[in-house]
Amino acid sequence: MVSGQAEALEATKRRGHTRRVAFATAAGAMVESYDFGIYGFAAAFVFPHTFFPSLGSSAAIVASMATLGVAFVTRPAGAILFGYLGDRFGRKKTLIATVLGMGFCTVAMGLVPSAQSIGIAAPIIVVGLRAFQGLAFGGEWAGAQLFATEHAPPGRRGLYGMFPQVGNGLANVLGPLTLLGVSSFGQSAFQEWAWRIPFLGSGILVLVAFYIRLKVEETPVFAKEQIGGKVTPPPLWGAMKRQPWTIMLSAGALLITFAFYFSVQTFIPHYGVENLGFSQDEVLGVTALAGLIYGASACVSAVISDKYGRRPVVAVTQVFGVVWGLALFPVLAVPSIGTFAVALCATTLVAGITLGVLGVMIPEQFPTQYRYTAVGVSYQLAAVVGGGIIPIVAPVLTASSYGPMAFGVVLAVIAAIAALCTLALKEGRNKSMDWSMD
């Protein structure tokens, strides 16, 4: 009887621990994806008029998308900064700092006056906030994935690595739905003030995430490393000295995730309104559906990778991405909102599957003492190219003499590079996370 009660108590503790880890990682990921989602949409439809009214329509959209890219420029610095903090002082403390940094900048963005009110100071403030926010974003994803996977029991790392993707998926539905809700005030009101509501509302998500992260314990893998008291070189130095090629391969594998995801979050919705004639509400509704597909596919793929392995699931998806990149704009050429929905959902399906599995696979490539730094740098290098440059290049390519198909070719090439990089990485499904470089 006593033994049975002890086992039941232990099972209850494990379930409670799992829930806390799930909520802590999902909440921060939700803040990150929500912030980026609403900013991407605002950069496409609001900021050209609000912060760049003196530019022509084409130049304004490029300038607005460039503000989106500013955060990607500072992301690598954030990965190094928060990677150092996470590898030296703990995953938990660092994740509390990143969620506060992300949230502060999003709320502040919703308070920036228009260029008509304060002139050139408006876009300067926006750029400054985006740069600071990029630092926080630079440390969030790696920390959340490590926090989840380093807590995972053997054989269930994919399941635990799924938790941040739950937050991503919810945010990718919540963001468009929130924007759709405030657009009901009318186009004029949306452009003038209603777009600020989702930005200010981000503060609620931040407070929830902050509270939850205060309640969780440090990962056992990191705690054991600290108890060992080993003297190690600075995390960035150790990572670049011992595994530079692994960092580059990891970044290359992630390229497809960013390129496909941010195409859906920024450029393709704008293309649907301006070039295909769909209404803003139609595009928002379809984008919310695509966000649901994104989150669900990331979660499912992470879990099944525990059974089938990381590399097979990712590589097959990336090869499909090559084909889909070439097919995307011919499919979009069909004048139907249903076809438009298929195009967005298929694109986010590729992004979701690759993120879900690579979020588990990449932390498995690096040792505990510089894992946070190495994973963060890998992720943010991919972010600079796939997420920072692609939204700027896309409207330029589609407006060129080559037409939209040129951008499809770029997506296909990125998918091919990602597949080759994935195949060059090690399969880590059966490898313990508790290891160090001697």
Side-chain angles (χ1 to χ4, degrees):
M1 178 70 70
V2 174
S3 177
Q5 290 177 339
E7 290 179 359
L9 180 61
E10 182 63 27
T12 301
K13 288 182 178 179
R14 284 198 300 270
R15 287 194 294 271
H17 171 263
T18 302
R19 284 195 295 270
R20 288 192 295 273
V21 173
F23 286 135
T25 54
M30 189 172 183
V31 171
E32 178 182 10
S33 293
Y34 176 85
D35 290 354
F36 248 97
I38 61 173
Y39 189 93
F41 192 87
F45 294 102
V46 177
F47 291 175
H49 315 287
T50 303
F51 299 122
F52 304 97
S54 62
L55 302 178
S57 58
S58 297
I61 185 64
V62 171
S64 184
M65 290 299 182
T67 67
L68 182 72
V70 167
F72 289 98
V73 174
T74 57
R75 270 175 173 251
I80 294 171
L81 170 63
F82 288 106
Y84 176 84
L85 297 175
D87 284 325
R88 281 289 188 262
F89 304 107
R91 319 316 196 194
K92 174 182 174 177
K93 295 176 182 177
T94 306
L95 285 175
I96 290 173
T98 59
V99 77
L100 291 176
M102 290 187 301
F104 167 79
C105 292
T106 300
V107 173
M109 202 84 65
L111 299 173
V112 178
S114 68
Q116 291 181 335
S117 300
I118 61 174
I120 195 173
I124 291 175
I125 294 172
V126 169
V127 169
L129 288 172
R130 287 298 291 171
F132 185 78
Q133 191 174 47
L135 292 174
F137 282 139
E140 171 61 31
W141 185 84
Q145 290 298 147
L146 264 60
F147 201 80
T149 55
E150 289 184 351
H151 271 290
R156 304 182 70 189
R157 201 175 300 143
L159 173 64
Y160 273 60
M162 173 196 78
F163 297 150
Q165 315 321 328
V166 173
N168 283 326
L170 290 174
N172 279 280
V173 176
L174 179 62
L177 289 180
T178 304
L179 288 164
L180 185 60
V182 297
S183 70
S184 63
F185 290 109
Q187 186 63 25
S188 177
F190 181 82
Q191 291 285 343
E192 291 180 9
W193 59 269
W195 66 268
R196 299 178 184 273
I197 296 175
F199 283 79
L200 299 176
S202 175
I204 299 173
L205 297 178
V206 172
L207 290 176
V208 172
F210 173 69
Y211 175 77
I212 292 173
R213 287 185 171 181
L214 283 176
K215 298 296 182 179
V216 294
E217 298 176 358
E218 182 57 80
T219 73
V221 173
F222 178 80
K224 182 178 179 181
E225 180 76 10
Q226 290 297 95
I227 292 173
K230 297 178 182 178
V231 178
T232 58
L236 181 62
W237 172 256
M240 297 305 296
K241 180 182 179 181
R242 295 177 173 178
Q243 290 185 283
W245 184 236
T246 306
I247 290 174
M248 297 306 296
L249 289 174
S250 298
L254 279 163
L255 278 177
I256 187 174
T257 303
F258 282 99
F260 279 56
Y261 174 78
F262 281 100
S263 294
V264 170
Q265 287 295 316
T266 57
F267 173 69
I268 297 178
H270 182 267
Y271 185 83
V273 173
E274 298 297 328
N275 296 76
L276 304 179
F278 301 126
S279 71
Q280 181 174 292
D281 286 354
E282 287 176 322
V283 169
L284 279 170
V286 170
T287 304
L289 175 62
L292 182 63
I293 298 296
Y294 175 77
S297 61
C299 293
V300 172
S301 63
V303 173
I304 66 173
S305 73
D306 278 338
K307 181 177 182 180
Y308 298 106
R310 320 295 186 210
R311 286 199 306 178
V313 178
V314 177
V316 168
T317 305
Q318 290 167 333
V319 170
F320 170 75
V322 176
V323 178
W324 181 246
L326 298 175
L328 175 59
F329 283 95
V331 170
L332 285 173
V334 179
S336 163
I337 190 64
T339 306
F340 184 74
V342 169
L344 257 67
C345 289
T347 307
T348 53
L349 180 68
V350 173
I353 293 174
T354 54
L355 178 68
V357 183
L358 289 171
V360 184
M361 182 179 179
I362 291 177
E364 292 170 339
Q365 308 297 310
F366 302 102
T368 304
Q369 68 259 40
Y370 57 73
R371 183 176 292 136
Y372 201 134
T373 299
V375 173
V377 170
S378 301
Y379 185 79
Q380 302 311 333
L381 286 176
V384 170
V385 178
I389 297 177
I390 289 299
I392 301 173
V393 170
V396 176
L397 284 177
T398 53
S400 71
S401 59
Y402 298 103
M405 194 61 196
F407 182 53
V409 171
V410 170
L411 291 177
V413 170
I414 287 175
I417 293 171
L420 293 173
C421 290
T422 295
L423 292 173
L425 290 170
K426 297 178 181 179
E427 175 62 58
R429 174 172 52 132
N430 298 318
K431 187 174 184 178
S432 172
M433 293 289 283
D434 185 10
W435 64 283
S436 297
M437 281 284 192
D438 295 329

